[in-house]
């Protein structure tokens, strides 16, 4: 089975306090720690497990600048067989549809049986997987938390729905699935693993290579544009308890007693 | 604006979802003059009762009725919507597990703009809609501008628009089945099998009055012990956010949120939880919320009654000790 996994380099939410920059045009870029989007790690892990069971290969692809290469390499250290970087100045500022159309061009160059994306990324949009499927005219399922390969034409898929219930489907290949966290436990990447892939060549495909006209993607082709970033003020917010730890605890215990939190 | 606005209605067991009224409110904020058409797919008498219910507050109701839609799936529904939606229409869909499945692909198929997970609208100027979204699980918000003059698919975050109780009365129910299904149903490549219900766990957190809830801020499985000790001191139960379940540190039945349990305790302690809307969406009945987080900007402080900015790993053991002292005194 030939599997393609789409991965995005994002500021790591567990390593950063995201702040808006001075003029509100973007998030504060200094000192941000980047990593692979959390959901994409689960997708790569799942692809590796499928390959190990039924054979074939796993290719990891990212649309981004040269720094995105580091996340492609990391996922190769996890066990993906190949990595591809889709990179071109013309891709900068793409909206979700732009990213999906760049990925579509790559998919059409090769023969993949299965494409995995993360359910969502840092922008919280949850859009690229579903758009990619629609552009390819392939079946799609989002929030997938179970995959079983039935044969080389059919798979069984579970989708996570409200309340932790699961919707089960049979789907024909090729298809696109967006992966939900918790489907597996992604393996750690060892230093040795990273060293092993450090010198591997990662091919870079540009707009020209992919046959994409530059004005259809990037900022030029984007229908949706971010105007500014800001921190919302919702209601009054919490009353923040201050003082020494002892004072805070005294205060908190009184509140807990009053609200029935301590009996 | 002159563009027709549609609201896709989710329903279950013959009753419309809460998001039906929220979408009317959202449509009103999008365009105050808009006449809003509800679109409902389903089968038989259950569908009819939803249509009747919804007709009392929408201007118009379009129904698609077919036995194959007794359980509606996005893959089957999408091509049907493509056939009935007019050019340049604006379609509102709840941003939930169904909307995420349906909407991105729908926007491609009807060649319309896509705006995901919108929490507010700030007006249309010259065919361009200004909307508010959140990024980085709610740590920052952003205004986005999108050209919707050629139509748009917009997913609306559940709970962001206050349900509009204004009943505009006599929505006409129009049967769109024939047009929607004219060239058949596409069920081939994607076959629904069954629903597997969530497993019941050892504790039922939906019945707890006091929940000590732990998130990724706990950092390490070895630290979980202190959460149980605090819960015991408070005579409460332990619940958690999703990453704790993903890491298999606690069972799924303890997860609070849209893909976990809906809880209604009296007191909710959110410890090292950032406050993503999918988590907070599981909190009902306005509990007294205490949040402890080392990031003063964590969105959980927006929903909490009381906040403490600090390290839970230091704070929790001290709090537990003090409560225990108090109880033995
Ligand atoms: C379709 C869908 C459904 C989902 N359903 C759910 C759901 O049902 N329930 C749910 O919870 N999530 C759900 N999620 C995930 C949700 O979007 C968030 O990713 C998740 O809630 C984050 O969990 P968290 O707050 O524990 O982790 P994080 O967002 O990583 O936050 C950890 C917090 O801990 C703080 N912290 C770190 N260390 C410390 C310390 N030592 N002391 C104090 N504070 C510290 C950090 O500042 C941060 O605010 C869903 C997502 C999707 C896409
Ligand atoms: N720049 C990108 N390169 C490769 N894949 C991406 C990119 N952006 C988004 N994706 C994929 O789409 C998924 C959903 O992202 P989004 O639609 O942006 O929320 C991610 O988890 C990735 O799998």
């Amino acid at each position: 089975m030939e599997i393609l996994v789409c991965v995005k380099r994002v500021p790591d939410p567990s390593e950063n306090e995201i702040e808006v920059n001075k003029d509100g045009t973007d998030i504060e870029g200094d000192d941000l720690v980047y990593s692979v989007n959390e959901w994409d790690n689960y997708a790569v892990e799942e692809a590796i497990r499928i390959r190990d069971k039924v054979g074939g290969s796993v290719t990891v692809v990212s649309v981004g600048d040269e720094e995105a290469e580091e996340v492609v390499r990391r996922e190769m250290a996890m066990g993906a067989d190949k990595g591809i970087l889709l990179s071109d100045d013309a891709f900068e500022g793409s909206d979700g549809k732009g990213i999906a159309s760049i990925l579509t061009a790559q998919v059409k160059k090769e023969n993949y049986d299965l494409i995995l994306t993360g359910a969502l990324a840092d922008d919280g949009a949850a859009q690229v997987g579903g758009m990619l499927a629609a552009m390819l005219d392939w079946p799609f399922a989002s929030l997938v938390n179970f995959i079983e390969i039935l044969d080389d034409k059919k798979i069984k898929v579970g989708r996570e729905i409200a309340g932790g219930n699961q919707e089960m489907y049979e789907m024909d290949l090729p298809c696109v699935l967006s992966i939900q966290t918790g489907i597996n436990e992604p393996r750690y990447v060892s230093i040795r693993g990273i060293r092993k892939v450090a010198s591997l060549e990662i091919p870079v495909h540009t707009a020209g290579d992919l046959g994409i006209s530059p004005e259809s993607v990037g900022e030029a082709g984007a229908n949706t544009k971010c105007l500014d970033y800001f921190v919302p003020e919702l209601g009054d917010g919490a009353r923040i308890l201050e003082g020494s730890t002892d004072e805070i605890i005294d205060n908190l215990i009184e509140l807990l007693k009053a609200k029935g939190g301590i009996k | 604006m002159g563009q027709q606005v549609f609201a896709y209605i989710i329903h279950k067991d013959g009753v419309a979802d809460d998001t039906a009224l929220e979408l009317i409110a959202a449509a009103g904020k999008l365009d105050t003059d808009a006449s809003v058409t509800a679109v409902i797919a389903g089968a038989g008498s259950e569908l009819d009762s939803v249509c009747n219910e919804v007709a009392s507050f929408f201007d118009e109701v379009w129904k698609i009725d077919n036995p194959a839609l007794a359980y509606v799936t996005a893959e089957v529904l999408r091509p049907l919507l493509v056939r009935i939606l007019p050019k340049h229409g604006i379609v509102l869909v709840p941003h939930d597990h169904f909307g995420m499945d349906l909407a991105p692909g729908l926007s491609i198929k009807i060649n319309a703009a896509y705006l995901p997970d919108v929490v507010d609208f700030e007006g249309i100027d010259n065919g361009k809609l200004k909307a508010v979204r959140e990024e980085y699980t709610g740590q920052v918000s952003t205004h986005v501008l999108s050209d919707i003059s050629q139509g748009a698919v917009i997913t609306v975050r559940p709970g962001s628009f206050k349900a509009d109780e204004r009943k505009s009365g006599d929505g006409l129910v129009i049967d769109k089945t024939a047009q929607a299904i004219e060239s058949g149903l596409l069920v081939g490549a994607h076959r629904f099998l069954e629903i597997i219900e969530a497993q019941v766990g050892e504790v039922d957190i939906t019945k707890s009055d006091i929940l000590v809830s732990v998130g990724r801020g706990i950092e390490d499985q070895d630290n979980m012990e202190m959460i149980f000790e605090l819960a015991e001191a408070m005579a409460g139960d332990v619940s958690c956010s999703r990453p704790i379940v993903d890491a298999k540190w606690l069972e799924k039945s303890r997860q609070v949120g849209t893909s976990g349990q809906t809880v209604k305790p009296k007191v909710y302690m959110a410890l090292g939880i950032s406050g993503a809307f999918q988590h907070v969406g599981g909190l009902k009945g306005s509990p007294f919320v205490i949040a402890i987080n080392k990031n003063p900007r964590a969105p959980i402080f927006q929903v909490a009654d009381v906040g403490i900015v600090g390290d839970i790993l230091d704070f929790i053991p001290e709090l537990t000790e003090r409560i225990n002292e108090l109880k033995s005194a």
Side-chain angles (χ1 to χ4, degrees), chain A residues 12 39 44 53 86 110 112 120 150 162 169 172 201 204-205 217 221 236:
Chain A
D12 187 337
W39 278 264
V44 172
K53 224 183 238 160
L86 308 181
E110 308 276 341
Y112 299 108
L120 85 170
L150 299 175
Y169 286 96
D172 290 348
E201 193 66 37
V204 179
H205 299 171
V217 292
D236 301 335

Side-chain angles (χ1 to χ4, degrees), chain A residues 81-101:
Chain A
D81 303 276
K82 288 176 252 178
I84 305 171
L85 184 61
L86 308 181
S87 193
D88 196 306
D89 289 346
F91 297 166
E92 248 170 71
S94 291
D95 61 6
K97 188 175 175 186
I99 299 289
S101 63

